Amino acid sequence: MKSTPIGMNGLFGRTGGLAAADQLALLRVLGLLLQLGLTLLGSDAFGLTLQPEPLWWVFGLESAYLALTLWLRHPLYRQSAGIFIALLLDTLFWISWLWFSGGATNAFISLLLVPIALAAVTLPAWGSWSLAALSTLAYSLMILSLPEGHIRHHGMDMSSHFLGMWLNFVVSALVLTTSVALISRRLRRQDTELGWLRENQLRQEQLLALGTASAQMAHQLATPLASLRLLLDEAMEEGLDAEAQVQMGQALSRCEVTLNELRRATESIRERRRQAVTLAALGQNMRQQLMLLMPEVDFSFTLPAGLTEREIITDASLLPALLALVDNAAKASLNNTGEPKVEIGFDSLGDTRLEINIKDYGCGIEAHLLGELGLMPVASRTGMGVAVLLSHASLEKLGGELVLHNGPQGCEARISLPLLPVSAGKGDAA
């Protein structure tokens, strides 16, 4: 799966109509207000030892930095690196405020865990571990820099108390960087899987609608095709031009064969019939269908001798899927060179996968459409991509894969299908 930057909307969702980037910004603003409130109103109540002059410098720099990142929050939070830089600077400002307001004696030392928690939710593991290491190092330096008067308070040795607080901080940081991070990654993975399932369900619904429409049209075609066949027979009896007879006969034969194939495919799919066929039989059937349905196509066919007896599991949908891709390739070559030329090649990918290459001599596919063709109907100058969509679905159902890419002389469709083991026998497969 292609890796994408972590999206803040995907991590936090929306609460109260605020976008996730605004939620994170709000938390950071509340952090600054908390620092100001504790400094101005809570120093006596909580016994904070303040150093006013450096604290005002900290507040000034933090306010300017916060204003800048609030203005740039949406582009800044689109990438993991931007989120990490923001949380890293937040951690440094929290460390600075704690250092100048009592250090390790500050009752709010646990607020250093807030950036670690945010990193555990929004960043990969390296982000939360980095902030945890930085915060633990800063807390350790605060404890080591405590004057003797704080370690011995009213004749009592407070070193074990501060050691316990430090150990509690380390354990809390470890919990955030492991348990919370694992839960967050699991939730993100589930969101990704749900998104894929929703897209797949939408594609299946589109295919079902297309299949229903195809069945309806096939039913509607049956009567007029029978009437056209009778009219052609009457015209031939009355001495219709020979060339016109041939052309009309070929067109009607193609329609009738396609209609019969559609009926057989519908029955096969409804009954879920699958069978093992050799590549020699598949290739022969494919050549016959091409000569019958697309006699104008100039195709070359390559099947190595070592693959002729290998087998694949297939159903009635495979051949129409391959023929649709060949038809698209022939049209692309015809539009570009004036000749409907197509190259079809069979090859193996190791011992377990078959690769079928269908190459045309067209102008290629627009780069922005390559990633969408086969996954959804896509409007282009040559159509809606429905044939590729149906072929992709048919191949996917058989455990296969369709990849389109532009080569030096046109577009190439690469179909990958699972090969049966050499010892597997022929016959029906569930």
Side-chain angles (χ1 to χ4, degrees):
M1 183 176 293
K2 185 179 178 181
S3 176
T4 56
I6 295 177
M8 296 298 296
N9 286 329
L11 295 174
F12 288 115
R14 289 181 174 267
T15 302
L18 289 177
D22 298 328
Q23 287 180 314
L24 183 57
L26 178 61
L27 288 174
R28 297 171 62 235
V29 170
L30 291 176
L32 176 59
L33 294 177
L34 178 60
Q35 293 174 13
L36 286 169
L38 291 173
T39 302
L40 297 175
L41 305 174
S43 58
D44 292 335
F46 298 107
L48 304 182
T49 305
L50 303 178
Q51 300 180 45
E53 185 174 349
L55 275 176
W56 290 118
W57 278 104
V58 170
F59 288 143
L61 291 173
E62 187 173 0
S63 299
Y65 149 75
L66 190 58
L68 177 64
T69 53
L70 286 177
W71 181 44
L72 299 174
R73 63 187 181 276
H74 292 290
L76 182 66
Y77 295 160
R78 285 197 185 103
Q79 302 290 334
S80 297
I83 302 172
F84 176 72
I85 291 172
L87 293 177
L88 175 63
L89 291 174
D90 285 341
T91 302
L92 292 175
F93 280 118
W94 273 108
I95 291 172
S96 302
W97 178 77
L98 290 166
W99 187 276
F100 296 119
S101 59
T105 64
N106 192 319
F108 296 94
I109 194 77
S110 59
L111 289 174
L112 277 176
L113 296 170
V114 174
I116 299 174
L118 291 175
V121 173
T122 61
L123 294 174
W126 59 263
S128 57
W129 279 106
S130 300
L131 295 184
L134 175 62
S135 300
T136 302
L137 176 62
Y139 192 10
S140 302
L141 291 176
M142 290 180 195
I143 291 179
L144 293 175
S145 63
L146 282 173
E148 184 67 23
H150 285 83
I151 296 178
R152 300 192 63 84
H153 184 68
H154 297 297
M156 298 176 58
D157 186 0
M158 301 291 292
S159 57
S160 59
H161 171 74
F162 285 113
L163 179 61
M165 290 178 60
W166 178 87
L167 185 60
N168 178 65
F169 180 87
V170 172
V171 171
S172 300
L174 288 174
V175 170
L176 290 176
T177 52
T178 54
S179 300
V180 174
L182 286 174
I183 293 171
S184 177
R185 281 197 294 273
R186 187 179 297 115
L187 290 175
R188 286 200 293 269
R189 186 167 57 250
Q190 289 176 350
D191 287 341
T192 302
E193 292 173 354
L194 286 174
W196 181 86
L197 288 173
R198 282 194 294 268
E199 292 178 1
N200 188 58
Q201 181 181 2
L202 177 61
R203 186 164 67 248
Q204 295 301 325
E205 290 174 356
Q206 292 173 333
L207 292 171
L208 179 61
L210 287 170
T212 302
S214 299
Q216 291 172 344
M217 287 185 287
H219 178 71
Q220 294 167 2
L221 277 173
T223 301
L225 280 175
S227 301
L228 281 173
R229 173 57 69 184
L230 292 174
L231 290 173
L232 177 61
D233 292 341
E234 293 177 1
M236 292 174 62
E237 292 175 358
E238 295 175 2
L240 186 65
D241 179 73
E243 183 177 354
Q245 292 180 20
V246 172
Q247 292 178 353
M248 291 179 65
Q250 287 178 345
L252 280 171
S253 296
R254 182 171 179 174
C255 291
E256 290 168 349
V257 168
T258 302
L259 184 59
N260 291 331
E261 288 291 333
L262 179 59
R263 286 171 174 165
R264 284 195 291 269
T266 302
E267 294 175 0
S268 175
I269 292 171
R270 184 175 63 247
E271 298 174 9
R272 298 182 180 179
R273 289 202 303 262
R274 292 186 181 182
Q275 61 180 355
V277 297
T278 64
L279 297 186
L282 175 64
Q284 180 65 20
N285 196 8
M286 189 173 179
R287 281 193 292 263
Q288 290 176 350
Q289 292 292 318
L290 285 172
M291 289 187 288
L292 176 64
L293 300 178
M294 308 176 200
E296 72 282 358
V297 175
D298 178 14
F299 66 90
S300 62
F301 200 95
T302 304
L303 176 60
L307 287 177
T308 55
E309 297 305 316
R310 295 299 302 272
E311 294 178 330
I312 62 172
I313 291 294
T314 182
D315 61 14
S317 66
L318 176 60
L319 192 58
L322 297 177
L323 294 178
L325 294 174
V326 173
D327 186 46
N328 277 357
K331 290 177 181 176
S333 298
L334 180 64
N335 292 334
N336 187 43
T337 66
E339 297 181 6
K341 187 176 180 181
V342 181
E343 293 183 11
I344 305 169
F346 285 61
D347 203 353
S348 60
L349 298 173
D351 195 52
T352 59
R353 303 287 293 184
L354 167 71
E355 184 177 79
I356 304 175
N357 294 315
I358 300 175
K359 185 186 302 183
D360 64 46
Y361 291 85
C363 299
I365 300 174
E366 294 92 331
H368 68 281
L369 296 179
L370 277 175
E372 299 178 1
L373 273 174
L375 301 179
M376 61 186 74
V378 176
S380 68
R381 63 173 182 266
T382 58
M384 295 295 292
V386 173
V388 180
L389 173 66
L390 294 172
S391 296
H392 183 274
S394 299
L395 295 167
E396 191 178 60
K397 180 166 56 70
L398 296 171
E401 183 181 11
L402 170 63
V403 178
L404 302 173
H405 73 95
N406 291 322
Q409 295 180 328
C411 180
E412 183 175 351
R414 291 182 179 175
I415 300 110
S416 171
L417 289 165
L419 281 170
L420 288 178
V422 177
S423 59
K426 299 179 182 179
D428 291 345

